[in-house]
Every structure is written in structure tokens, then in C-alpha cells.
Amino acid sequence: QVQLVESGGGLVQAGGSLRLSCAASGSTYGINSMGWWRQAPGKQRELVATTTSGGSTNYADSVKGRFTISRDNAKNTVYLQMNSLKPEDTAIYYCNADRPVGMGRLNFWGQGTQVTVSS
């Protein structure tokens, strides 16, 4: 099993910045992709940004140019730097990690951290 612990959420005014962190522990061997998803009230969970162990990154169109994902493989930690925050970024942000297993993959989720952006 892999445990993911997020930190860094909070309340910020529009235009402000926050940095989220997610530390993985447990059976971290073989983890490939790590990233962030978010879920706003009444909406489905959506991808924000992901990064692979090789350094490839992927972003949702809504956050491109404002958010930056980074990863410290030695620490099994992934970060999300969020700049120019907007009220529509308000959501619970979840850390995700996956491990390829055979033809499939195992997915692990953190408990989530609340990000609230006031207008």
C-alpha cells in the first residue's frame, strides 16, 4: 500500500498563490505517475496536473500557465505551485499516485486538502 499525505491548502484571495505538497510513503517502489486532481462542490473530480517518474507533465487547459507541478523522486513528493488563483479554482485537491501492475495499474489517493479562493 501507498499512503499519500497532502498539505498546503488554505484560504487565499484571488490573484494569490499557494503551494501544495504530497508526500508518499509505504510501498512506493514502482510508482510512475503522481499528480493532482480536484473536486468542486456539485462537480466531478477532474485532473489538474500530473507528472511521471521520467519528468513528463500534463496540465488541464484551465490551469496552464498558472500552475506548475514538480516532483522530488528521492523524497517521493510531488508539489503543485498555484499562481494567479481564481475563485473557480476553489475545490478539494487530491493527490494521486499510480503503479503499473501487469496490464493494469493500482491507483492511490490522498485524503484531500481544501483550497478556497475568495473574490
Side-chain angles (χ1 to χ4, degrees):
Q1 283 292 341
V2 175
Q3 292 79 45
L4 302 173
V5 178
E6 303 107 330
S7 61
L11 173 64
V12 65
Q13 288 188 332
S17 298
L18 283 173
R19 188 190 194 214
L20 305 183
S21 300
C22 171
S25 61
S27 301
T28 59
Y29 178 77
I31 287 179
N32 181 22
S33 175
M34 293 186 73
W36 295 93
W37 294 64
R38 67 186 180 186
Q39 188 166 19
K43 295 188 177 181
Q44 289 188 329
R45 192 173 296 190
E46 63 177 5
L47 181 145
V48 177
T50 60
T51 180
T52 67
S53 57
S56 300
T57 59
N58 181 45
Y59 293 93
D61 287 343
S62 60
V63 306
K64 283 181 181 177
R66 299 189 298 121
F67 291 10
T68 302
I69 191 169
S70 60
R71 179 171 173 174
D72 186 332
N73 288 323
K75 295 182 179 180
N76 290 312
T77 300
V78 64
Y79 306 95
L80 186 68
Q81 178 66 44
M82 306 186 292
N83 298 328
S84 302
L85 282 160
K86 304 175 181 180
E88 51 263 44
D89 295 316
T90 295
I92 299 175
Y93 283 68
Y94 295 92
C95 180
N96 171 268
D98 73 35
R99 178 193 295 139
V101 178
M103 297 297 291
R105 59 184 62 199
L106 289 176
N107 259 292
F108 304 96
W109 293 93
Q111 292 298 308
T113 185
Q114 177 71 47
V115 171
T116 303
V117 184
S118 63
S119 57

